[in-house]
Amino acid sequence: MAETNGAPTQPDVDVVVVGAGFAGLYMLHKLRGLGFTATVLETADDVGGTWYWNRYPGARCDIPTTDYTFGFDPDLESAWTWSEKYAAQPEILRYLQFVAERYDLRRDIRFSTKVTEATWDETARLWRIGTDPGPGLTARYYVMATGCLSVPKDLDIPGADRFRGDVYFTSRWPHEGVDFTGKRVGVVGTGSSGIQSIPLIAEQAAELTVFQRTPNFSIPAHNGPPPQQSLEEIATDREGYRDRAKWSRIGVPREPATETAAQLTPEERKARFDAAVAEGTLGGILALWADMGTNPEANDMVRDLMHDRIRSIVRDPETAESLCPKDHYFGTKRPCLDTGYYETFNKPHVTLVDLRKQPITTVTETGIETAEASYEFDAIVYATGFDAMTGAIVGVDITGVGGQTLKDKWADGPHTYLGLQSTGFPNLFLITGPESPSVLSNMAVSIEQHVEWVADCLRDMREAGFTTIEPTQTAEDGWGLHNGDCAAITLHPTANSWYMGANVPGKPRVFLAYIGGVDAYRAVCDEVREKGYLGFRLN
Ligand code: FAD
């Protein structure tokens, strides 16, 4: 590294990117295209991110592959064909490997390398990145493409380390797979990963016991070939289709519902519900009527229809009641798409344990004890979720201007401008960071938007001769208020969801994503850039 007279110190590379999932791969490709030098650092030994780690049985996307795919290069789109409406994990991983090969990305990725710390050097105006294993490196810009759902939540179950049988985490599934044939298996957790894996584990296991703290809403995925209508629209007007996704509410082309629940008759509401269940998409079921996310009575109408559906499938009335979510409004936790989930509880060897009625007291050497019973297992599967949105970011010791750490700054919840940057941490960018639409959207679309915004920003800075960028305190405070206001007019803050940080003990209770819509958010980001990076301080 050479010190030049008056000019900023030259770093090892222009940009360090952390993470080699969808976001890190596209970021690297984009930066290279603009002539920046970049190195990607990744804990895993290959690309894929979410789709590298989550190899549990039944792991699939829940946004149709026609939409959950890169749209930045028409040639890439024509070179790849998805086999299913909702591709399974191996196919999505193959796709990301294909992307890495197509653009020759691996040569700038340092695998099996965890970023442990990052410190802003105010004098040299660069980031000093510490890695395990070392050596670290320096970069002018530091992009965290570390994922919103990449840090598994710590187990908060007493005695968890006592169990002597096999233990699996859905988020860190063995690469060689697991055969549960003839085994007594306990699954803890009924979020999306639990709901996807339970029917398949039940097919193999001799006995399956599911421990449920919170039931979740789920509708059938009706997986099969990719949706014909989307394929035709893409074939005739690819750009128009991708544009409609960019300017939609959740990053999937779809007209929003305009009628409120009260404007529809009960028969019309039921018909809409049945049609959405038959379609099997989150976009459909989340847009039955306009006020389902804001009006408790309108939401209750969806909940009632959901409960009726569960009761009509699950034969044991007590199990059916336990599976009916009553503690949160529909949509305030991400609903799930399943293949035979509720039907699984009709199998004689499958038992549901409702932890609201009989909490786990301890894990033992041989199984799990609840307040009422003792269960013996050969294997326990934990599908217990993630420290979402902020876990991977504060998992790195990041120190900014004046020795302030990001962890301290975010002790009461994340503070960002547009979810892209945080004041006091110049040149640090977050891809799909907290207070951006991220997990409330089709993340392929949100990732592309952020990557392109950051790349444009770095090019604009280079052309104008700027070296550093960070938000003003006023802009950050304003965005925080707007973010909170948008959430406050919805039912979301009423739920104990991971969107609210409520699944992690001690995590501040704030709504972590921007709920104003992918379209509105994109318009703001575009305007900020058009107005010369309004709200940012450039030097
Ligand atoms: P990730 O894919 O999470 O990649 C981040 C990478 O950063 C990881 O490989 C991680 O190892 C690495 N990393 C993190 N910290 C460090 C560090 N300190 N040092 C080095 N490396 C680090 N979204 C959708 O829109 N549609 C879906 O259908 C969908 N399905 C999902 C299913 C599952 C099971 C899960 C868990 C998530 C799903 N998501 C879905 C969200 C999904 O995470 C995103 O769609 C997308 O894959 C995120 O890409 P990313 O590159 O931002 O992050």
Side-chain angles (χ1 to χ4, degrees), residues 383-397:
T384 38
F386 299 91
D387 182 352
M389 305 289 294
T390 53
I393 300 170
V394 296
V396 176
D397 282 329

Side-chain angles (χ1 to χ4, degrees), residues 120 125 127 140-142 401 417-418 420-429 453-454 456-458 460-462 466-472 528-529 532-539:
W120 176 245
R125 281 184 274 163
W127 282 96
R140 180 79 60 223
Y141 302 101
Y142 170 39
V401 174
Y417 182 40
L418 303 172
L420 278 163
Q421 278 212 299
S422 193
T423 310
F425 298 84
N427 293 5
L428 165 60
F429 293 95
W453 194 94
V454 171
D456 285 341
C457 172
L458 299 194
D460 292 344
M461 286 175 68
R462 183 176 61 191
F466 291 114
T467 331
T468 63
I469 179 169
E470 67 172 300
T472 66
V528 162
R529 179 173 177 235
Y533 294 94
L534 193 69
F536 287 96
R537 189 180 300 116
L538 293 118
N539 274 303

Side-chain angles (χ1 to χ4, degrees), residues 19 21-23 42-43 49-50 53 56 61-63 68 113 115 146-147 443:
F22 265 92
E42 167 58 61
T43 314
T50 288
W53 296 108
Y56 59 85
C61 54
D62 60 10
I63 298 282
Y68 188 59
T113 303
V115 173
T146 41
M443 292 199 63

Side-chain angles (χ1 to χ4, degrees), residues 73-94:
D73 178 356
D75 293 339
L76 171 64
E77 282 194 58
S78 26
W80 182 266
T81 306
W82 291 105
S83 72
E84 290 186 289
K85 175 184 176 189
Y86 298 113
Q89 171 272 331
E91 186 174 359
I92 307 177
L93 180 59
R94 275 201 305 279

Side-chain angles (χ1 to χ4, degrees), residues 473-496:
Q473 194 59 56
T474 314
E476 181 168 287
D477 292 347
W479 186 252
L481 279 176
H482 175 57
N483 208 73
D485 286 349
C486 287
I489 60 167
T490 73
L491 298 170
H492 272 278
T494 62
N496 287 324

Side-chain angles (χ1 to χ4, degrees), residues 389-455:
M389 305 289 294
T390 53
I393 300 170
V394 296
V396 176
D397 282 329
I398 303 177
T399 308
V401 174
Q404 186 187 29
T405 66
L406 194 69
K407 202 179 271 172
D408 282 349
K409 181 178 169 182
W410 286 12
D412 63 347
H415 300 282
T416 76
Y417 182 40
L418 303 172
L420 278 163
Q421 278 212 299
S422 193
T423 310
F425 298 84
N427 293 5
L428 165 60
F429 293 95
L430 311 171
I431 303 297
T432 64
E435 303 187 325
S436 76
S438 58
V439 289
L440 296 176
S441 67
N442 168 7
M443 292 199 63
V445 167
S446 289
I447 286 169
E448 283 195 345
Q449 188 240 340
H450 265 188
V451 165
E452 287 162 12
W453 194 94
V454 171

